[in-house]
């Protein structure tokens, strides 16, 4: 009897130890997975863009529909065309083995706390944020930091984050092509072309856009075109200096000055256009923001400037981006019933003219 009991104990103790270890592992696994994903945020995103990443000891293989979405995004807005300083591509991976029956892709211009909360309410599986979050490298994830709070909330719900930013700026059909479509252009070129060029793509590639208009347009009319295109009621305008050489530029003179200036060419840059548009020859610059001295330099060079605030020159591209993603996913043989693309209702420019 004692011999049988000893054999039972020998067989049972390892089993109990295994069960105990398995329980500890299950309790710790969620935090470990979050830590692994967070560590990935510290690395250059190209590492995370191997769409066919296989499973590992800790993580299952990446969800197939996420892989399809990554291919779609890099085909539409190739990460290799992004600025060297930028942080584009898949910024936060997911530890989930798959998404629900319908993958929800959530588009925003800025991934703020309120937008992250909105994405979670909308049951988002992937957030595509034009501006990268995270942008800078960091050494810890701490809820006292706003970016950390956003990442913790999304990662704990298995939500992936992707950012195209300057890859979208440079791409043919991207945000700058949308921005310059406010005008009736005869031709469109990149303000700062990418090198080397890609001959198979029949359109401009690079930062910003510059174009000749099909016919001369008074600056007053050009302003109305931009307002309609951006869906905003007001922005700041600085006329070319030679047009106000003997006139004080203020509200009383604005109407007559804007009617007197003819625009034959235009250059645009979504977001902050100071460095991209500097030295470009055009009658009108349209961008979100420029420094005071860049505005004066452009005015002295005979260029009028429209500053519509940073994200007002970008956010209107979200609906076209939505259509592009939907069409491209279908071409990737992803059934329309297997995904849904939504656009934030809460994202807006932080600045408001009052």
């Amino acid at each position: 009897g004692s011999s049988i009991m000893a054999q039972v104990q020998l067989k049972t103790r390892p089993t109990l130890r295994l069960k105990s270890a398995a329980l500890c592992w299950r309790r710790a696994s969620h935090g470990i997975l979050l830590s692994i994903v967070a560590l990935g945020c510290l690395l250059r995103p190209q590492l995370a863009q191997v769409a066919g990443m296989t499973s590992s000891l800790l993580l299952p293989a990446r969800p197939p529909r996420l892989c399809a979405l990554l291919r779609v995004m890099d085909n539409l807005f190739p990460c290799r065309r992004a600025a060297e300083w930028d942080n584009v591509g898949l910024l936060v991976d997911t530890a989930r083995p798959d998404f629900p029956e319908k993958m929800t892709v959530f588009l925003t211009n800025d991934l703020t706390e309120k937008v992250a909360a909105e994405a979670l309410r909308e049951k988002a599986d992937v957030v595509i944020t034009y501006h990268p979050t995270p942008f800078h490298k960091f050494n810890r994830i701490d809820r006292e930091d706003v970016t950390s709070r956003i990442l913790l909330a999304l990662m704990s719900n298995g939500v992936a984050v992707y950012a195209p930013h300057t890859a979208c700026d440079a791409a043919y059909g991207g945000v700058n092509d949308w921005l310059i479509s406010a005008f009736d252009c005869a031709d469109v070129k990149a303000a700062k072309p990418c090198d080397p060029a890609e001959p198979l793509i029949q359109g401009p590639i690079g930062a910003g856009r510059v174009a000749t208009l099909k016919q001369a347009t008074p600056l007053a009319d050009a302003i109305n075109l931009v307002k309609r295109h951006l869906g905003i009621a007001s922005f700041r305008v600085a006329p070319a200096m030679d047009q106000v050489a003997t006139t004080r530029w203020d509200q009383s003179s604005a109407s007559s000055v804007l009617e007197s200036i003819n625009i034959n060419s235009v250059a645009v840059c979504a977001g902050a256009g100071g460095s991209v548009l500097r030295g470009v020859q055009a009658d009108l610059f349209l961008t979100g923001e420029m420094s005071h001295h860049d505005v004066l330099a452009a005015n002295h060079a005979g260029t009028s400037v429209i500053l519509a605030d940073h994200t007002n020159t970008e956010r209107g591209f979200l609906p076209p981006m939505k259509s592009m993603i939907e069409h491209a996913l279908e071409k990737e043989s992803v059934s329309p019933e297997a995904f849904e693309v939504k656009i934030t209702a809460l994202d807006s420019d932080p600045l408001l003219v009052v």
Side-chain angles (χ1 to χ4, degrees):
S2 60
S3 174
I4 294 174
M5 182 63 68
Q7 291 179 21
V8 170
Q9 288 176 345
L10 285 173
K11 292 180 180 179
T12 303
R13 285 172 184 171
T15 302
L16 291 174
R17 285 197 294 271
L18 286 173
K19 288 183 178 179
S20 178
L23 179 61
C24 292
W25 169 249
R26 284 197 296 271
R27 288 174 177 173
S29 61
H30 188 67
I32 292 173
L33 291 178
L34 288 180
S35 299
I36 294 297
V37 176
L39 179 62
C41 297
L42 305 179
L43 305 176
R44 184 67 181 166
Q46 279 79 349
L47 180 64
Q49 290 177 27
V50 183
M53 171 184 147
T54 57
S55 60
S56 71
L57 179 64
L58 294 177
L59 294 175
R62 184 173 289 140
R65 279 173 294 174
L66 177 57
C67 294
L69 180 63
L70 295 181
R71 290 192 297 271
V72 160
M73 292 302 295
D74 199 56
N75 286 335
L76 292 173
F77 316 113
C79 290
R80 66 183 180 277
R81 291 304 188 188
E84 291 184 0
W85 49 262
D86 207 359
N87 192 31
V88 299
L90 182 65
L91 306 186
V92 178
D93 209 333
T94 181
R96 289 193 284 175
D98 201 358
F99 295 128
E101 186 174 330
K102 179 170 285 191
M103 175 180 70
T104 300
V105 181
F106 188 82
L107 307 185
T108 184
N109 203 78
D110 286 304
L111 184 50
T112 58
E113 277 193 287
K114 70 176 182 180
V115 171
E118 179 191 12
L120 293 176
R121 288 194 300 272
E122 293 293 329
K123 308 298 183 184
D125 299 301
V126 184
V127 171
I128 296 178
T129 173
Y130 172 79
H131 285 138
T133 300
F135 181 73
H136 301 290
K137 292 183 179 181
F138 50 88
N139 296 319
R140 67 184 65 196
I141 296 182
D142 186 329
R143 67 173 60 209
E144 299 302 317
D145 170 69
V146 61
T147 300
S148 294
R149 289 196 298 272
I150 292 169
L151 297 180
L152 282 169
L154 295 179
M155 288 190 297
S156 63
N157 284 275
V159 180
V161 178
Y162 189 100
H165 202 206
T166 55
C168 183
D169 295 356
Y172 175 52
V175 65
N176 280 310
D177 286 303
W178 166 80
L179 186 57
I180 205 165
S181 69
F183 307 97
D184 190 12
C185 301
D187 63 341
V188 179
K189 299 177 181 178
K192 297 289 174 63
C194 282
D195 184 35
E198 296 189 20
L200 297 179
I201 297 180
Q202 303 300 312
I205 302 174
R209 296 291 183 264
V210 59
T212 301
L213 302 185
K214 289 183 179 178
Q215 62 181 30
T217 302
L219 180 53
D221 291 348
I223 287 171
N224 289 329
L225 290 174
V226 173
K227 287 180 178 179
R228 284 199 297 270
H229 190 63
L230 301 185
I232 57 178
S234 59
F235 42 63
R236 293 174 292 168
V237 181
M241 196 65 71
D242 58 349
Q243 301 296 323
V244 289
T246 59
T247 305
R248 177 178 173 81
W249 170 240
D250 56 22
Q251 293 294 338
S252 64
S253 64
S255 179
S256 59
V257 169
L258 297 179
E259 288 289 350
S260 68
I261 299 176
N262 279 325
I263 303 300
N264 291 283
S265 58
V266 60
V268 307
C269 181
S275 61
V276 172
L277 298 179
R278 192 175 298 133
V280 174
Q281 299 298 311
D283 295 331
L284 176 65
F285 286 171
L286 166 60
T287 188
E289 57 180 307
M290 292 174 67
S291 75
H292 171 76
H293 298 290
D294 281 336
V295 172
L296 287 180
N299 290 164
H300 278 99
T303 301
S304 299
V305 177
I306 293 176
L307 300 182
D309 283 331
H310 193 112
T311 66
N312 288 335
T313 58
E314 302 162 340
R315 187 170 292 100
F317 182 63
L318 294 181
M321 181 191 286
K322 176 179 183 291
S323 297
M324 294 168 72
I325 292 171
E326 289 170 337
H327 180 68
L329 279 174
E330 291 183 26
K331 289 182 67 175
E332 281 279 333
S333 300
V334 180
S335 169
E337 289 75 33
F339 69 90
E340 182 178 12
V341 183
K342 298 181 178 181
I343 298 177
T344 173
L346 295 183
D347 182 43
S348 63
D349 195 274
L351 297 171
L352 184 66
V353 178
V354 296

